[in-house]
Amino acid sequence: MRVVVQNDKKGTLYGARLRVGIAVLAAAAIASACDRPGGGEVQPAPGQQALKAPPARALDSYATKLRAVYAARVAAAKRWRLADVPLLAPPPPARKPKIKARRGFEVDDQEEMNLPPVFTTIPTRRKVVFLTIDDGAEKDPAFLRMMSDLKIPYTAFLSNFLIKDNYGYFKKMQAEGITLNNHTLTHPYLPALSYRRQKREICGMQDVMEKHFGKRPRLFRPPYGNYNQDTLRAAKSCGIKYAPIWDEEVFVDHWEYREDDRDLHPGDIVLTHFRGRSEWKGTMVDDMRRFLNKVTAEGYAVARLEDYL
């Protein structure tokens, strides 16, 4: 038996709904036994194995695990001074959404050449957003601890000139299940470069990623979100399948929005950067606190981008 806890607008409702769900399932298990003549264990049809443990005992064990997981999330939220407990993302979709280039973001012959789509939002009705972090300049150990404690997924887009002094930091990130992706070798304005130079920037970073992290990424983000047809042609030739950019950007002290309504939407991709006090009025931990407080207050969970691609 499996309990699925849905997202609630407030993390504080989680515990109450968890208790109610457990009580309902326990009652159902007891009732099923009471409905049988004489009660007792369900006898399987001939040839089947008998249950080795009563259903209620298995349910209680699972409920105990759920309570322990939630207690750990509560403690982590308190430790990192969040306003509320981040919501749990639903399981990955059984059927992946079809990803197309956002209207107005296509290049000439986008579909005919089957070029990697540029998009800002994943098509979904689920109240989830996707956190992406660019470049790799700041290497804050506290950020790694925070995201590991809270079990928050994110996707990193890295540039070699900023990470080459400490590949180990990003290997630790990768060990936590974070996907590391391509953000070019030197972070240039790509449309100003020839096709050949763009390909060198993108394919060269693919080589770096394979050498140091064991994989050639499928995702590529053009620096500054700028690209042309040559960019996407070069990216495709380097093995890139998708070119996500973003719908919102979060900073330590404010948010910026692409849409006129200045709001979050289901499936939005949110951008931030590896930055610290040398460039911001705060740390990456402060930045993540601002991000998580807003999305949680608005009833959104943070999901893993790659699970939808």
Side-chain angles (χ1 to χ4, degrees):
M1 185 174 293
R2 190 163 175 261
V3 179
V4 177
V5 181
Q6 301 295 333
N7 290 342
D8 297 304
K9 189 170 183 181
K10 286 289 185 180
T12 51
L13 295 178
Y14 181 104
R17 292 201 175 185
L18 175 62
R19 291 191 294 273
V20 170
I22 292 168
V24 169
L25 290 173
I30 294 169
S32 66
C34 293
D35 287 342
R36 296 190 301 275
E41 184 178 358
V42 176
Q43 295 303 312
Q48 297 185 44
Q49 294 293 319
L51 293 174
K52 295 183 179 179
R57 186 184 304 167
L59 176 64
D60 181 67
S61 175
Y62 185 65
T64 299
K65 291 179 181 178
L66 285 179
R67 286 193 292 268
V69 169
Y70 182 67
R73 289 174 66 82
V74 170
K78 183 177 181 180
R79 182 161 54 251
W80 294 103
R81 296 187 290 113
L82 300 183
D84 211 337
V85 181
L87 300 175
L88 287 172
R95 179 178 297 178
K96 309 293 186 185
K98 186 174 183 179
I99 307 298
K100 293 184 177 181
R102 175 171 169 160
R103 181 173 296 181
F105 287 58
E106 310 97 331
V107 297
D108 290 342
D109 301 321
Q110 174 83 48
E111 293 188 3
E112 291 81 355
M113 299 177 71
N114 192 29
L115 298 176
V118 175
F119 54 99
T120 63
T121 301
I122 295 289
T124 181
R125 295 182 180 178
R126 297 175 170 187
K127 288 201 73 174
V128 296
V129 295
F130 305 97
L131 174 62
T132 62
I133 312 180
D134 278 9
D135 64 46
E138 181 72 11
K139 303 164 185 70
D140 184 353
F143 164 78
L144 293 183
R145 293 195 301 272
M146 178 187 196
M147 303 304 269
S148 178
D149 282 354
L150 293 166
K151 303 294 188 287
I152 303 297
Y154 57 98
T155 299
F157 290 89
L158 306 177
S159 291
N160 190 53
F161 83 109
L162 292 172
I163 69 170
K164 64 184 180 181
D165 63 333
N166 191 352
Y167 291 121
Y169 178 85
F170 300 97
K171 287 182 180 179
K172 291 178 183 177
M173 192 179 292
Q174 186 182 42
E176 292 286 336
I178 302 306
T179 303
L180 309 180
N181 290 293
N182 190 325
H183 200 42
T184 71
L185 289 171
T186 65
H187 205 276
Y189 176 72
L190 290 173
L193 304 182
S194 67
Y195 171 81
R196 184 176 179 180
R197 290 179 63 191
Q198 291 197 52
K199 185 175 179 179
R200 185 183 306 134
E201 282 284 340
I202 301 168
C203 288
M205 191 60 191
Q206 292 288 81
D207 294 340
V208 168
M209 299 298 284
E210 183 174 33
K211 178 179 178 180
H212 293 282
F213 307 113
K215 294 182 180 180
R216 298 179 75 84
R218 296 191 310 146
L219 275 60
F220 158 71
R221 174 171 283 164
Y224 316 107
N226 294 125
Y227 58 94
N228 58 17
Q229 188 196 67
D230 281 349
T231 309
L232 301 184
R233 286 177 53 231
K236 180 181 177 180
S237 76
C238 301
I240 297 297
K241 302 298 183 184
Y242 302 99
I245 50 175
W246 61 91
D247 213 50
E248 294 88 19
E249 184 171 2
V250 61
F251 297 84
V252 143
D253 55 354
H254 70 285
W255 282 67
E256 292 183 0
Y257 301 85
R258 188 180 297 274
E259 314 301 340
D260 292 338
D261 63 5
R262 298 179 58 79
D263 203 359
L264 292 172
H265 317 90
D268 277 358
I269 299 170
V270 181
L271 164 68
T272 193
H273 287 81
F274 290 97
R275 294 287 187 272
R277 291 191 181 278
S278 62
E279 297 184 60
W280 280 352
K281 296 178 181 179
T283 65
M284 289 193 71
V285 169
D286 297 326
D287 184 46
M288 287 298 96
R289 188 178 298 116
R290 186 179 192 92
F291 166 75
L292 290 169
N293 283 344
K294 179 178 175 63
V295 299
T296 304
E298 295 193 16
Y300 285 87
V302 183
R304 184 175 179 269
L305 178 61
E306 291 79 5
D307 288 342
Y308 287 71
L309 298 176

